Amino acid sequence: MRFTSEQRLGDGVLEREFTLGEIPGTLWTPGAAPAPLVLMAHNNGLPKAEPRLVARARYTAARGYAVATIDAVGCGDRPRSAADEQARADLRRAMQAGEPVDEIFESFIGPLVENAVPEWRTTLAALLELPEIGGPVGYSGGWTALGIRLAVVEPRIAAAGFFAGGYVPRAQREEARQVTIPLLFLLQWDDEGNPRQRALDLFDAFGSKEKTLHANLGGHTGTPWFELEDGCRFLDRHLK
């Protein structure tokens, strides 16, 4: 892992850009060390510098956590395959025409998850070698499908917060039954891109004995800011 830049933010959080092979990432750390680690993931080609993700990361770091995110394959400035670009074009066309999109999502999101998981596990291993980071590890992100797979295959993740706003492939919906760590699941009741019942069915499928559902009125990007504070209290219970 090689750090390429750093800046000290007004709240005392240190923000550093890094590269790990071909993987670009950002790490935020609080003044106190070592700190528990929270992985924050994004999808849909968004960059790690996406403002909502950065705001959540800085807030969480100021609460005493190390927070890390990376640009997975096909996200941010990383190269996108011709197949990915075709899937995005097919998805836009189908949505504009009012056609079913599940099979397009399935063929598109499934491979993204498969490609992202090894990179996230490699990044996690490198981060845990840093002296300013000490376990346990949490996951918090809008990419629920990735979080489900990581929760199943990565025993170092002790708790997770999921946003029910993205498509979850059939494979991860089945894997949800194997997820047993504590969960906080956020649902936007009027999310136009995510059928409410599918999200409720996914919550029901999780095998965790401790799982909490927070539902708020509003569309996809309307999650209330207070949920971030509640999310940090959830992390406090399980990572500190």
Side-chain angles (χ1 to χ4, degrees):
M1 177 174 286
R2 182 171 68 90
F3 289 102
T4 58
S5 69
E6 69 174 56
Q7 63 172 327
R8 181 71 65 176
L9 305 176
D11 52 14
V13 171
L14 181 63
E15 180 181 272
R16 287 176 286 176
E17 301 294 321
F18 66 84
T19 58
L20 183 61
E22 297 181 353
I23 306 169
T26 307
L27 175 64
W28 295 266
T29 48
L37 175 64
V38 177
L39 306 177
M40 286 193 177
H42 57 89
N43 193 9
N44 297 328
L46 294 173
K48 56 186 175 61
E50 198 277 325
R52 287 181 299 156
L53 184 146
V54 171
R56 289 194 297 112
R58 290 178 173 180
Y59 181 92
T60 305
R63 289 283 296 259
Y65 294 94
V67 182
T69 189
I70 65 172
D71 275 340
V73 174
C75 292
D77 295 327
R78 295 190 68 180
R80 302 184 184 188
S81 69
D84 287 349
E85 291 302 286
Q86 184 61 53
R88 286 188 171 94
D90 291 343
L91 183 59
R92 287 192 296 269
R93 179 196 56 77
M95 292 179 71
Q96 291 170 358
E99 299 173 358
V101 295
D102 276 10
E103 290 309 313
I104 300 175
F105 268 125
E106 194 73 31
S107 62
F108 178 41
I109 302 298
L112 285 181
V113 173
E114 295 296 333
N115 291 330
V117 167
E119 291 195 340
W120 271 101
R121 297 190 75 184
T122 296
T123 302
L124 174 59
L127 289 167
L128 290 177
E129 293 181 358
L130 299 175
E132 59 267 42
I133 295 177
V137 180
Y139 178 92
S140 175
W143 197 353
T144 297
L146 173 66
I148 292 172
R149 172 59 61 83
L150 284 175
V152 170
V153 303
E154 183 49 73
R156 289 172 289 192
I157 295 179
F162 295 146
F163 292 77
Y167 181 81
V168 176
R170 285 187 289 268
Q172 277 70 64
R173 278 180 262 160
E174 288 297 321
E175 285 180 324
R177 305 180 190 283
Q178 303 174 46
V179 175
T180 58
I181 59 176
L183 294 179
L184 175 62
F185 197 56
L186 301 183
L187 169 63
Q188 285 303 103
W189 202 247
D190 308 300
D191 190 338
E192 62 282 357
N194 189 46
R196 184 187 305 161
Q197 190 58 52
R198 179 179 292 173
L200 294 173
D201 290 343
L202 178 61
F203 177 76
D204 189 50
F206 286 121
S208 304
K209 292 183 178 179
E210 181 182 335
K211 55 182 178 180
T212 302
L213 172 66
H214 285 187
N216 291 282
L217 297 178
H220 183 72
T221 60
T223 303
W225 183 254
F226 62 73
E227 288 291 1
L228 182 54
E229 183 179 354
D230 287 348
C232 284
R233 284 198 291 266
F234 167 79
L235 294 173
D236 291 346
R237 290 196 299 273
H238 301 290
L239 302 186
K240 287 187 175 180

